[in-house]
Amino acid sequence: MRAWTAPDLPTLDGSGGRLRVHDTALDELVDVEPDNNEARFYVCGITPYDATHLGHANTYVAYDLMYRALADCGHRVVYTQNVTDVDDPLLERAEQTGVDWEELAEDQVSLFRDDMTALRVLPPQHYVGAVEAIPSVVELIESLRLTGAIYQVDDPDYPDWYFEVRRAPGFGRLAKLSDSEALAIFGERGGDPERRGKKDPLDCLVWRMARPGEPSWESRLGRGRPGWHIECTAIALQHLGAAFDVQGGGSDLVFPHHEMCAAEGAMATRQPFAKAYVHSGMVGLHGEKMSKSRGNLVLVSRLRASGADPMAIRLGLLARHYRTDWEWTADSLREAQRRLDRWRDAVARPSAPPAEPLVAALRTALRTDLDAPAALSAMDAWADAPGNDPDAAASAAQAIDALLGVRL
Ligand code: 5CA
Ligand code: ZN
């Protein structure tokens, strides 16, 4: 699938150093130490309906900071992101609204691309839809079958294929839930603990046999379509290989999604799936998580259409640390616009304080678990201080562009 247009990424002098991020599995900051200086990361992409709300935008801006920090450390970056362009929620929405599911997905991906471009989010090198990944999904299920961890439920109509999650080395280490918590969350987030014939209620669907009226594809497993978790596992392994540096997404994906991906990946490769698991916080509105099902969405495209500067939207998101849960309000945008104006005035000055200490502070902030609020404070202080360096303003603007993705 085509990604979107890349913004310029200026290279700053004096790269090197390393990024530390919070790993959900260990619940502590860990160094990202890419093999052969090549940083490989995977971020779970959208299910294309009701895109792009500010929760999505917050998540992709967070990983965009990660991309920028890794590139600034001097690593080559390989970034893969999926699009869940066939799955129950998408099909349900298409059915409810009487739209063809493929058209719905295509329109929403196109809107998402425009929003990402406007927000100056760096595109992944591999932008892969579930539908186009079906051959790798089937291949992965086939290789898992060789381990004996794949079975069909005993259902004469729909003998769907499942993965025995508890056979995987390390299953449960990511989310660290009790059995009852795991079961409850599994049921709420797309799982089917009640499905008859499963060996364990937590086993996850990997191939759903064709139902009347649902899209399906011919395969060695029978006609059907991929389950959700195996989609991301297959796409990540195909484009990044095993033991890649970071799997990312919002905190709503820790369980079951990332736990299941980690289990499938570890079982198939006998290596860790990812070296670290990073999760962004949830953005809410009016006291609830922003989500399609609740319908409490602020869409980036609507804000843009109403005249909001995309760089102000981006600054509004960066004002909160990526791991915190927070609420978007109209004030978030107003404050961000004021900050943007202040920064633009500051870089239009004929002389300013030297840029080197600012660049060093921005780097330290980002390399310490992508601390955007600390980076914003450093720039605020620079913008307020007088100085007599005639080259500083251009250097500061370039660093803000390269590291924070904000074009002044
Ligand atoms: N297609 C799957 C991942 S494979 C999916 O979760 N799609 S999504 O459209 O529901 O979400 C896309 C990304 O945005 C995910 O990383 C999800 O964790 C994140 N996300 C969803 N809602 C919010 C929110 N309210 N705040 C922050 N991030 C969110
Ligand atoms: Zn995913």
Side-chain angles (χ1 to χ4, degrees):
M1 201 176 265
R2 183 173 61 79
W4 55 92
T5 315
D8 293 337
L9 177 59
T11 310
L12 305 177
D13 289 342
S15 66
R18 69 175 162 224
L19 170 66
R20 287 169 70 71
V21 286
H22 179 268
D23 173 28
T24 304
L26 296 178
D27 194 18
E28 61 186 32
L29 297 197
V30 297
D31 291 342
V32 179
E33 293 179 298
D35 300 330
N36 306 316
N37 205 28
E38 183 173 86
R40 297 168 292 150
F41 74 107
Y42 183 94
V43 176
C44 283
I46 56 166
T47 303
Y49 65 98
D50 285 345
T52 313
H53 65 64
L54 283 172
H56 298 141
N58 191 55
T59 288
Y60 299 111
V61 165
Y63 294 100
D64 183 59
L65 286 185
M66 179 186 286
Y67 191 144
R68 289 166 187 278
L70 289 167
D72 183 58
C73 288
H75 304 308
R76 288 189 309 283
V77 180
V78 187
Y79 175 20
T80 302
Q81 188 182 125
N82 70 307
V83 181
T84 308
D85 59 0
V86 62
D87 199 12
D88 297 348
L90 173 75
L91 298 174
E92 280 159 23
R93 173 58 69 89
E95 172 94 33
Q96 281 160 15
T97 50
V99 186
D100 175 63
W101 66 275
E102 284 171 294
E103 231 170 85
L104 173 62
E106 226 168 86
D107 289 353
Q108 292 291 305
V109 170
S110 160
L111 194 60
F112 179 70
R113 284 192 189 103
D114 291 347
D115 290 332
M116 292 298 105
T117 307
L119 293 174
R120 296 182 69 78
V121 171
L122 292 159
Q125 286 85 353
H126 309 288
Y127 192 48
V128 188
V131 172
E132 63 187 336
I134 286 174
S136 11
V137 167
V138 172
E139 204 177 303
L140 176 61
I141 298 171
E142 290 285 4
S143 73
L144 282 170
R145 245 174 118 179
L146 299 176
T147 70
I150 295 284
Y151 64 95
Q152 279 184 287
V153 287
D154 183 14
D155 175 337
D157 296 324
Y158 304 117
D160 301 324
W161 296 86
Y162 281 82
F163 170 60
E164 271 183 79
V165 291
R166 292 189 197 276
R167 304 253 309 239
F171 177 72
R173 261 188 237 153
L174 180 58
K176 297 177 276 290
L177 299 171
S178 68
D179 284 355
S180 61
E181 286 169 330
L183 267 181
I185 299 176
F186 185 61
E188 285 159 19
R189 296 188 181 159
D192 54 358
E194 315 278 321
R195 177 76 197 268
R196 285 179 52 200
K198 282 167 62 168
K199 294 188 183 173
D200 185 292
L202 283 184
D203 287 350
C204 68
L205 176 75
V206 290
W207 190 257
R208 177 176 161 93
M209 302 302 268
R211 307 312 200 246
E214 287 188 6
S216 57
W217 290 263
E218 216 44 78
S219 84
R220 296 191 289 279
L221 303 159
R223 208 177 161 81
R225 63 176 163 98
W228 174 28
H229 316 303
I230 199 82
E231 162 197 345
C232 285
T233 315
I235 295 172
L237 289 178
Q238 183 187 354
H239 294 282
L240 301 175
F244 57 90
D245 293 285
V246 171
Q247 177 169 29
S251 59
D252 57 338
L253 299 185
V254 175
F255 194 88
H257 187 47
H258 287 176
E259 189 84 62
M260 299 301 182
C261 291
E264 291 165 347
M267 193 73 192
T269 67
R270 291 281 146 185
Q271 288 183 71
F273 179 56
K275 294 193 229 168
Y277 297 85
V278 175
H279 293 101
S280 51
M282 289 292 112
V283 180
L285 183 73
H286 306 144
E288 289 201 275
K289 174 191 157 187
M290 207 177 277
S291 74
K292 304 167 224 220
S293 44
R294 290 191 181 88
N296 59 343
L297 305 178
V298 180
L299 298 184
V300 173
S301 50
R302 276 204 210 124
L303 285 180
R304 294 202 290 126
S306 68
D309 183 329
M311 292 299 92
I313 302 173
R314 185 166 172 120
L315 266 185
L317 299 173
L318 293 176
R320 307 300 185 111
H321 189 267
Y322 81 95
R323 281 204 284 129
T324 43
D325 297 332
W326 58 286
E327 293 257 318
W328 176 268
T329 68
D331 276 347
S332 312
L333 188 60
R334 276 194 287 272
E335 271 166 35
Q337 185 62 54
R338 272 199 296 275
R339 177 176 257 144
L340 185 63
D341 293 342
R342 196 164 131 215
W343 287 11
R344 284 189 169 145
D345 288 346
V347 298
R349 292 179 288 178
S351 62
E356 290 77 10
L358 169 66
V359 176
L362 295 175
R363 280 182 161 146
T364 303
L366 282 194
R367 289 171 189 182
T368 315
D369 199 23
L370 308 172
D371 191 348
L376 266 48
S377 301
M379 180 60 179
D380 287 343
W382 180 89
D384 287 345
N388 50 21
D389 182 339
D391 301 321
S395 304
Q398 195 187 40
I400 292 296
D401 186 2
L403 297 172
L404 296 181
V406 176
R407 190 67 165 271
L408 295 177

